Amino acid sequence: MQENEDGQLEQEEGREGQQEALTRVTGMYKDWFLDYASYVILERAVPAIEDGFKPVQRRIMHSLKELDDGRYNKVANVVGHTMQYHPHGDASIGDAMVQIGQKDLLIDTQGNWGNILTGDGAAASRYIEARLSKFALDVVFSPKITEWQLSYDGRKKEPVHLPVKFPLLLAQGAEGIAVGLSTKILPHNFNELIDASIKHLKGQKFKLFPDFPTAGIIDVTNYNDGMRGGRIRIRARISQLDKNTLMISEIPFGTNTSSLIDSILKANDKGKIKIKKIEDNTAADVEILIHLPGGISPDKTIDALYAFTACESSISPLGCIIEDNKPLFIGVEEMLKRSTDHTVELLKEELEIQLGELEDQWHYASLERIFIENRIYRDIEEEETWEGVIAAIDKGLKPHVGHLKREVTEEDIVRLTEIRIKRISKFDIEKAQQLIESLEEMIAQTKKYLANLVDFAIDYFKELKKKYGQGRERKSEIRIFDEIEATKVVIRNTKLYVNREEGFVGTSLKRDEYVTDCSDIDDIIIFTKSGHMMVTKVDAKTFVEKNIIHVAVFKKKDKRTIYNMIYKDGRGGASYVKRFNVTGVTRDKIYDLTNGKAQSDVLYFTANPNGEAEVVTVNLRQSGSIKKLKWDLDFADVLIKGRNSKGNIVTKYPVKRIELKEKGLSTLKPRKIWFDETIQRLNVDGRGELLGEFTSEDRLLIISQKGVIRTAIPDIIMRFDDDMIVLEKWKPEKPLSAIYWEGEKELFYVKRFLVENPDKEEVIITDHPKSYLEKIFTDYRPVAEVVFAKKRGQERKENMVVNLDEFIAVKGITAMGNQLTKEKVLEINALEPLPYEEPKKNKAEDIEVIDEEDVKPDKKSAAPKTEEKEQEDGENGQTKLF
């Protein structure tokens, strides 16, 4: 044993062979694993920024170029040819080639190459064919500026990188998993990439967002420039064909119709949604029909499809590329900048090579002209040696080469000796001069391009867009998504029961009292006779507390459900009345709604979904000298406070019973509803345009561009069509005015009408296929301006202003209306409506929901005297779930 420098004892190795073996294993781990990791990163999984290709893709493109003769090649032949360069099996090459072909950019395909919409695979490689697309031939290849290297076996040369003059990586996207890192670059729109490249070259800012071949609707709010930590949400495009049928016409990227339908069927089996049947009619375009049972809301089902199926998915991008043989994490904007700058460099190299070639052509054309025009070829007739021939030509040229741009070399003289006699005899000086002048023009033009390289690159990108951009418009619609609460859209797939006396609630108590339908992800709220409250998850059987008096499905943040309660404060204590709502609680925690004394008892309790306030009769027991044993209590006189408030005293004497005397009306203010145009949804949070204040009886008026009119009770889960042109609070007594084109008569008609059947959807224009709605007015006294078309040889007729209120009386909604004019109309404009004063209505006094800390005792209040004291909610440190 010997002591090392750290003071620790270290045992000497007994045998030298063991030390060598140990070193060898360590070396294997260090070197071989790192070599393998580097190989996977650089040679298999991650694309290079220079051309946007992984090695296998680059070798496929190189092989296609070598085989290219304008005709289609069997994919099996291409795969076999690629194996000269790629040290892996044919399966990986074939799969990679199919993926390139399905992106419809670089490869012109023939045969069954699979379907990205349905998930069907391609036919065997011996049955399908391919050739390079015109775009690939224009953009990907340029042998003169390509850097070459030996293939893996040293027999062939392959490109280090292909000189791609386009941000191909961002157009196609890329995905790969390496050792210790991965990449996921999403595809972007062809034309938008070109526009962004042009903006970058002009020094302008730009933004890039993904665009998927499967289309769909995308929310790019958290895209984060395609870097780590970003997230993009994708939804299928779902539309309502009729009240019992939904249609999916676009699907999220990364799914196909088979996987999408499977996810819908699974959600149906689990009871999350309820559907009748699914039809898959997908061919060239996606068409999945979802048939709903009667009584199921289409709007709610659409939300449920997004919440519980693959109709909505999210993708987390991760921008990782290879640059200078090193992995680099960058955003898509930086990728585009680097790719665009690289394209400029490639264009510069091509122009420089082109300039050199043109100057060489000019030099040789000038030499040839001097050689023939000055008959220098005669000077070599008497020369007997090759050296003498070269010297004679060189001597003959010297007096005439002063204007050349470089010295005459021996190689130039050798080329002159190779000119045939036939060419010399037919030499045309004028044509030779024209050739030299055209070369001079081309040289000047190329120098101009080099001097203005950025402008040349901009023109290059514009030409690419003009040549190949048609038909490559954006497919994925960018939109901000609304948040869907699963508990609000899930189908009530089970039933809730209660055993009030024993204190059990659950879905398995089928012999006990039925409460309501619910879902397995709902929370339920329970109140007991002792004044306790608890919120818990739906389960098969849960014990809460004996003597349950109320059970219901709990709605988070519900301020409109008001609980009315009278309780006795402990044994022999006074009775109190309180009104409260329950918005935020900790799940499975028991809350005491009384003052906390033992033997407290709830004497009266109701749950009111719209804040109703009933009138009850309080009956006292005969005790001592009490004169008044019975009186009425109106809950409308009690302020709505928090659940912890003690409440107002009702009586200090024993209560015999409390009876309901009169059902009450809502004491809450009408609910304000807004419409958020960005997500096309209603809300009560103040986002978007205020539609008005709504009671439980008020409705929305909805009119579409197709002339379809309907009214509906506002619901937060409602969805609206893209062609909706009117959304406002419906006033039944206010007439609507419409100007429409009658297809059969080929004239404009005017009609005024009331909505007589609020529950019925009606069309307000005629059913002729050429009929269309021109203008719709929801004002009491609308005014329209008619602009007439100018007749040939005549002055334009003066515009006609029409007071629609006087033009036509209010008729039925199905009436055709009156003809507006026989003249040819250029356009119809809406003018400011005429003033109208609506009749005033007497409003009932409203009681507003207020927080308990804002309440101050009101000495003049008609309510019973307040004897309340605030109580703290539970122990410190409780975690809020809602």
Side-chain angles (χ1 to χ4, degrees):
M1 307 289 283
Q2 67 180 12
E3 189 172 351
N4 63 12
E5 292 179 358
D6 298 326
Q8 295 176 333
L9 292 177
E10 181 176 81
Q11 186 175 3
E12 294 181 338
E13 293 286 40
R15 286 179 294 180
E16 187 177 350
Q18 290 180 349
Q19 290 180 339
E20 291 177 356
L22 184 63
T23 304
R24 194 176 302 119
V25 171
T26 306
M28 286 171 59
Y29 177 79
K30 279 184 178 179
D31 300 335
W32 292 8
F33 181 78
L34 288 177
D35 288 346
Y36 169 71
S38 300
Y39 170 75
V40 174
I41 292 170
L42 300 177
E43 295 295 325
R44 296 186 71 172
V46 184
I49 186 63
E50 288 85 358
D51 57 7
F53 289 123
K54 297 179 183 180
V56 65
Q57 297 170 331
R58 187 179 302 116
R59 289 160 182 158
I60 289 169
M61 295 302 294
H62 175 58
S63 297
L64 279 168
K65 177 62 175 173
E66 284 193 322
L67 294 171
D68 183 58
D69 58 0
R71 295 178 296 176
Y72 288 99
N73 290 286
K74 288 280 187 184
V75 168
N77 290 340
V78 179
V79 171
H81 194 87
T82 307
M83 289 181 73
Q84 298 178 87
Y85 306 101
H86 195 61
H88 296 286
D90 57 342
S92 62
I93 300 171
D95 291 344
M97 188 169 176
V98 168
Q99 289 180 14
I100 298 172
Q102 287 179 342
K103 290 170 181 174
D104 192 29
L105 187 61
L106 299 178
I107 298 179
D108 187 2
T109 61
Q110 185 166 273
N112 177 16
W113 281 67
N115 190 329
I116 60 172
L117 300 177
T118 61
D120 295 332
S125 59
R126 60 186 176 275
Y127 297 124
I128 56 178
E129 298 179 327
R131 66 182 178 189
L132 289 171
S133 67
K134 291 181 179 178
F135 173 78
L137 290 168
D138 276 1
V139 168
V140 176
F141 303 100
S142 184
K144 293 175 182 176
I145 61 171
T146 302
E147 183 183 353
W148 302 91
Q149 64 184 1
L150 290 175
S151 62
Y152 72 96
D153 61 1
R155 289 190 175 96
K156 293 273 187 177
K157 284 188 176 181
E158 64 172 330
V160 177
H161 297 113
L162 287 169
V164 178
K165 301 181 290 294
F166 177 78
L168 190 63
L169 176 57
L170 293 176
Q172 293 194 127
E175 186 173 358
I177 300 174
V179 179
L181 59 82
S182 64
T183 185
K184 195 176 188 72
I185 300 166
L186 302 181
H188 294 71
N189 182 262
F190 183 92
N191 292 326
E192 290 177 8
L193 288 172
I194 291 178
D195 292 340
S197 294
I198 292 172
K199 285 183 177 179
H200 170 59
L201 292 172
K202 290 181 177 179
Q204 300 172 352
K205 291 184 178 180
F206 59 89
K207 279 283 182 186
L208 286 175
F209 298 114
D211 185 29
F212 300 113
T214 54
I217 309 166
I218 61 175
D219 186 341
V220 297
T221 307
N222 299 316
Y223 184 45
N224 193 31
D225 197 33
M227 297 180 70
R228 188 193 304 272
R231 187 173 76 107
I232 184 168
R233 296 168 64 191
I234 317 170
R235 284 181 177 176
R237 188 177 294 279
I238 309 175
S239 56
Q240 182 180 339
L241 289 186
D242 55 56
K243 63 180 181 180
N244 291 324
T245 311
L246 302 176
M247 183 177 79
I248 300 176
S249 55
E250 297 172 8
I251 60 176
F253 182 68
T255 64
N256 54 62
T257 55
S258 299
S259 63
L260 192 68
I261 290 171
D262 287 345
S263 73
I264 294 172
L265 293 175
K266 285 179 182 177
N268 181 65
D269 293 341
K270 291 179 180 178
K272 306 292 186 186
I273 60 174
K274 191 173 284 187
I275 63 171
K276 198 173 181 181
K277 67 173 182 176
I278 295 182
E279 292 180 48
D280 187 4
N281 300 326
T282 302
D285 298 314
V286 173
E287 185 181 313
I288 301 172
L289 299 181
I290 302 174
H291 299 276
L292 307 179
I296 297 296
S297 164
D299 289 340
K300 192 172 181 180
T301 303
I302 291 174
D303 280 348
L305 287 170
Y306 289 142
F308 302 115
T309 74
C311 287
E312 178 177 334
S313 63
S314 65
I315 297 176
S316 297
L318 177 58
C320 178
I321 50 95
I322 298 297
E323 186 178 58
D324 297 331
N325 284 325
K326 295 176 185 176
L328 180 66
F329 292 89
I330 57 174
V332 296
E333 291 181 17
E334 183 62 27
M335 287 184 204
L336 183 114
K337 290 176 181 178
R338 293 182 184 223
S339 175
T340 305
D341 294 341
H342 184 61
T343 298
V344 173
E345 287 301 314
L346 293 175
L347 291 172
K348 180 182 178 183
E349 288 181 33
E350 287 186 341
L351 287 172
E352 287 173 343
I353 290 172
Q354 180 182 320
L355 178 60
E357 290 175 345
L358 287 172
E359 288 180 339
D360 283 346
Q361 290 177 38
W362 180 88
H363 179 78
Y364 183 70
S366 300
L367 272 181
E368 185 181 79
R369 180 185 171 185
I370 295 168
F371 181 72
I372 297 173
E373 189 177 354
N374 295 287
R375 302 177 186 273
I376 296 172
Y377 53 85
R378 289 185 175 180
D379 298 344
I380 64 174
E381 291 176 354
E382 297 180 359
E383 297 294 334
E384 295 180 357
T385 64
W386 178 250
E387 290 79 8
V389 170
I390 299 298
I393 296 174
D394 187 30
K395 182 179 178 182
L397 290 174
K398 278 185 179 178
H400 309 286
V401 295
H403 67 289
L404 297 182
K405 297 175 182 177
R406 66 175 174 84
E407 293 183 0
V408 178
T409 64
E410 184 175 341
E411 186 181 347
D412 296 331
I413 297 173
V414 171
R415 285 186 64 182
L416 291 175
T417 63
E418 294 171 354
I419 300 174
R420 299 189 176 204
I421 298 296
K422 187 176 180 181
R423 179 172 174 78
I424 294 173
S425 62
K426 290 188 175 182
F427 185 74
D428 188 329
I429 295 177
E430 288 188 9
K431 284 186 178 179
Q433 184 60 33
Q434 288 174 5
L435 173 62
I436 291 171
E437 288 175 356
S438 67
L439 287 170
E440 287 174 347
E441 289 178 5
M442 293 166 69
I443 289 169
Q445 186 67 51
T446 306
K447 286 182 176 179
K448 182 181 177 183
Y449 289 152
L450 281 166
N452 301 278
L453 193 57
V454 172
D455 291 336
F456 177 76
I458 290 172
D459 292 338
Y460 168 80
F461 279 114
K462 287 180 178 177
E463 186 62 27
L464 274 185
K465 185 177 179 181
K466 181 181 176 182
K467 198 171 180 180
Y468 301 107
Q470 191 172 358
R472 298 187 182 275
E473 292 77 19
R474 169 167 281 277
K475 292 184 178 180
S476 299
E477 180 188 350
I478 297 175
R479 190 188 292 178
I480 298 175
F481 291 170
D482 53 313
E483 294 296 333
I484 297 173
E485 291 186 33
T487 53
K488 289 185 177 180
V489 299
V490 68
I491 296 295
R492 304 297 183 217
N493 56 358
T494 187
K495 298 182 183 298
L496 182 67
Y497 302 89
V498 61
N499 185 325
R500 297 181 185 273
E501 187 177 351
E502 296 298 324
F504 288 97
V505 293
T507 57
S508 64
L509 308 174
K510 296 185 179 180
R511 294 184 179 180
D512 294 305
E513 179 188 342
Y514 164 76
V515 178
T516 183
D517 287 352
C518 65
S519 75
D520 51 12
I521 64 171
D522 278 334
D523 290 295
I524 52 174
I525 187 167
I526 306 114
F527 295 87
T528 65
K529 192 78 166 60
S530 61
H532 293 158
M533 176 195 80
M534 187 174 81
V535 172
T536 188
K537 199 82 174 171
V538 167
D539 206 344
K541 186 176 181 180
T542 303
F543 176 74
V544 181
E545 186 180 292
K546 290 186 176 183
N547 298 317
I548 294 172
I549 58 175
H550 178 73
V551 182
V553 174
F554 179 65
K555 300 176 183 177
K556 291 188 292 183
K557 301 177 183 178
D558 180 14
K559 292 184 178 181
R560 297 189 71 82
T561 298
I562 304 299
Y563 301 99
N564 298 338
M565 174 174 154
I566 300 175
Y567 70 93
K568 183 180 71 172
D569 185 25
R571 184 176 182 181
S575 298
Y576 290 85
V577 60
K578 63 190 288 186
R579 298 184 75 201
F580 60 94
N581 55 27
V582 179
T583 55
V585 295
T586 303
R587 190 182 286 138
D588 296 326
K589 175 184 173 182
I590 294 177
Y591 291 86
D592 195 341
L593 303 174
T594 69
N595 204 24
K597 293 183 180 178
Q599 298 186 21
S600 293
D601 186 32
V602 177
L603 304 175
Y604 181 86
F605 184 90
T606 58
N608 306 280
N610 204 33
E612 292 83 0
E614 65 270 33
V615 178
V616 296
T617 302
V618 180
N619 296 276
L620 301 183
R621 296 184 184 276
Q622 182 66 51
S623 176
S625 59
I626 303 175
K627 295 180 180 179
K628 191 174 183 180
L629 297 176
K630 180 179 179 182
W631 73 90
D632 293 339
L633 187 153
D634 190 348
F635 276 96
D637 296 331
V638 182
L639 290 176
I640 300 169
K641 301 179 183 178
R643 63 172 179 267
N644 297 320
S645 65
K646 183 176 182 180
N648 299 344
I649 192 167
V650 177
T651 178
K652 295 180 179 179
Y653 300 104
V655 177
K656 184 178 181 182
R657 65 178 178 274
I658 298 175
E659 301 170 332
L660 174 66
K661 180 179 181 181
E662 182 182 320
K663 288 185 177 181
L665 300 174
S666 173
T667 59
L668 302 180
K669 283 187 174 181
R671 186 168 58 164
K672 288 184 179 181
I673 295 180
W674 287 263
F675 177 67
D676 189 341
E677 193 171 353
T678 57
I679 61 174
Q680 295 277 297
R681 299 299 286 266
L682 302 176
N683 68 88
V684 293
D685 306 322
R687 292 179 282 108
E689 178 189 355
L690 178 64
L691 298 177
E693 297 182 347
F694 290 77
T695 65
S696 58
E697 297 177 355
D698 289 327
R699 287 175 169 259
L700 287 169
L701 174 68
I702 307 162
I703 306 175
S704 73
Q705 188 62 61
K706 299 185 186 76
V708 178
I709 186 168
R710 65 187 177 101
T711 69
I713 295 172
D715 193 338
I716 303 303
I717 67 169
M718 286 180 71
R719 308 189 76 87
F720 302 93
D721 295 331
D722 292 336
D723 67 343
M724 179 182 66
I725 54 176
V726 171
L727 178 66
E728 61 179 46
K729 186 177 179 181
W730 178 50
K731 297 180 180 178
E733 72 284 352
K734 185 169 71 169
L736 302 175
S737 308
I739 300 176
Y740 70 96
W741 176 261
E742 209 293 308
E744 185 178 354
K745 306 281 187 183
E746 295 189 340
L747 292 169
F748 282 105
Y749 276 74
V750 181
K751 62 190 293 185
R752 276 170 65 78
F753 56 91
L754 292 170
V755 178
E756 299 165 355
N757 300 310
D759 295 317
K760 184 179 178 184
E761 190 176 87
E762 298 188 83
V763 181
I764 60 175
I765 61 177
T766 58
D767 58 1
H768 192 277
K770 292 186 178 179
S771 296
Y772 64 87
L773 181 63
E774 175 67 21
K775 292 285 181 190
I776 186 78
F777 303 86
T778 59
D779 305 299
Y780 280 97
R781 300 180 66 193
V783 179
E785 178 189 45
V786 180
V787 180
F788 296 103
K790 186 177 182 294
K791 293 181 180 178
R792 184 175 294 178
Q794 298 182 17
E795 291 291 326
R796 189 191 301 274
K797 189 175 179 181
E798 189 176 341
N799 296 350
M800 178 174 70
V801 177
V802 183
N803 180 352
L804 301 181
D805 182 26
E806 297 176 351
F807 187 81
I808 185 172
V810 176
K811 300 179 181 179
I813 196 169
T814 58
M816 187 172 181
N818 292 353
Q819 181 180 300
L820 178 63
T821 178
K822 290 183 178 179
E823 300 290 333
K824 191 172 182 180
V825 175
L826 181 64
E827 61 179 356
I828 299 173
N829 302 315
L831 300 181
E832 279 292 320
L834 296 173
Y836 179 83
E837 191 171 338
E838 294 186 47
K840 293 183 179 179
K841 293 182 180 179
N842 294 326
K843 293 185 178 180
E845 288 187 5
D846 300 319
I847 295 180
E848 188 173 2
V849 180
I850 56 176
D851 295 329
E852 56 187 277
E853 59 266 22
D854 296 333
V855 178
K856 296 179 180 178
D858 186 359
K859 296 180 181 179
K860 299 180 181 179
S861 173
K865 182 180 179 182
T866 302
E867 292 181 4
E868 67 173 33
K869 185 168 61 178
E870 300 294 323
Q871 295 179 347
E872 293 296 322
D873 178 20
E875 298 86 25
N876 293 331
Q878 287 283 359
T879 302
K880 292 288 184 181
L881 297 180
F882 309 113

